[in-house]
Amino acid sequence: MTHKEFISQMSKDLGIPQTDMEGMVNTLVATMSQNLEEGSVVRIPEFGKFEASKQYERVIVNPETGVKKLVPPRLSVVFTPAFAVCEQPSKEEL
């Protein structure tokens, strides 16, 4: 599902104009991003939590050429689903 499809589906389900829904989704994503950059954990009850994980800088080696390259440090987002989400049956089980 793309960003546009998500906004379209949400606006249809909630009966909110698409432009308003896009503003709400963008505000939510911006707020979550800001909190994750500050090192906070973003918890959504009955859905899960998002937290930033720091990937340290490291040296990688290209196996074909043997050239070494330095990969800079970065932050990645880790999602941990809530227990209620894990208990939901998948589409294959239905």
Side-chain angles (χ1 to χ4, degrees):
M1 177 177 272
T2 65
H3 184 74
K4 281 187 172 186
E5 291 170 344
F6 176 72
I7 290 172
S8 175
Q9 185 66 42
M10 289 290 292
S11 68
K12 189 186 311 177
D13 290 348
L14 298 174
I16 297 173
Q18 221 166 346
T19 54
D20 294 344
M21 181 56 65
E22 185 173 7
M24 286 188 268
V25 170
N26 290 340
T27 301
L28 173 69
V29 170
T31 303
M32 287 178 66
S33 297
Q34 181 181 3
N35 283 306
L36 289 169
E37 286 175 1
E38 294 170 357
S40 300
V41 176
V42 178
R43 289 183 175 84
I44 302 174
E46 297 185 23
F47 182 69
K49 69 178 179 177
F50 297 88
E51 52 189 326
S53 172
K54 184 173 183 178
Q55 304 289 323
Y56 296 102
E57 98 178 342
R58 62 193 189 279
V59 176
I60 59 171
V61 179
N62 184 328
E64 292 180 8
T65 62
V67 176
K68 294 181 180 181
K69 182 179 177 183
L70 181 67
V71 177
R74 64 185 180 108
L75 289 177
S76 63
V77 177
V78 178
F79 173 69
T80 307
F83 184 72
V85 173
C86 293
E87 290 295 308
Q88 301 267 335
S90 64
K91 289 183 180 179
E92 292 83 33
E93 294 174 0
L94 297 177

